[in-house]
Structures are given as C-alpha cells and as structure tokens.
Amino acid sequence: MTGEGREPGVPGAGGFAVDARDGRVGRVTGRSGPNVRLRPPGGGPEWDCPPEAVRPASPGVVLRARVTEINREGQLPR
C-alpha cells in the first residue's frame, strides 16, 4: 500500500479506473474491505473490484466517461 492507504496503480476516490476483468470503466467511490468500489459514469449500481484487477483509465477513456457524466447531468430535472 502507498502512503494514502491504497495500492500503487489504483486511482484515489473520484478518479476513473478500468476493471481489467471485464473492461468496465468506473469512478472510484472508495473501498469495501479489501476491494475497490466503482460506479459507472452517468450513474448505475456500484460494484466491487479486487485491487489487483483495477488499472487507471487512459486519458481517452477518462474523457469519454466525463462526457457521459455531463450528458447525464443535462438530462436530470432541475
């Protein structure tokens, strides 16, 4: 673990990561025991991912995920 209490290569809370088991992209929301909790961009149910299967998202993947979130926010009632 690093100084922030997380494994090297695992983005901190709020960062985007890829679940290497199936390629899903999610925003890191925290930890659930030893696992990393991820939420899909734009909303949806969170899922647990073992830290060894989490990898940081590439810049292109992050951009697509942020656009998805912004588009979702634009569809919400005000």
Side-chain angles (χ1 to χ4, degrees):
M1 297 232 195
T2 64
E4 293 181 22
R6 57 189 172 93
E7 290 78 10
V10 175
F16 285 99
V18 176
D19 184 339
R21 299 174 301 176
D22 57 13
R24 288 186 291 174
V25 176
R27 187 178 284 274
V28 177
T29 60
R31 302 295 292 240
S32 176
N35 293 323
V36 178
R37 298 280 297 162
L38 299 171
R39 175 180 291 131
E46 293 183 358
W47 75 95
D48 290 336
C49 184
E52 61 273 6
V54 174
R55 60 181 172 82
S58 69
V61 169
V62 170
L63 179 59
R64 284 190 296 278
R66 293 184 73 193
V67 167
T68 298
E69 288 182 339
I70 291 167
N71 286 340
R72 172 72 174 138
E73 288 172 8
Q75 296 173 359
L76 297 175
R78 296 188 188 250

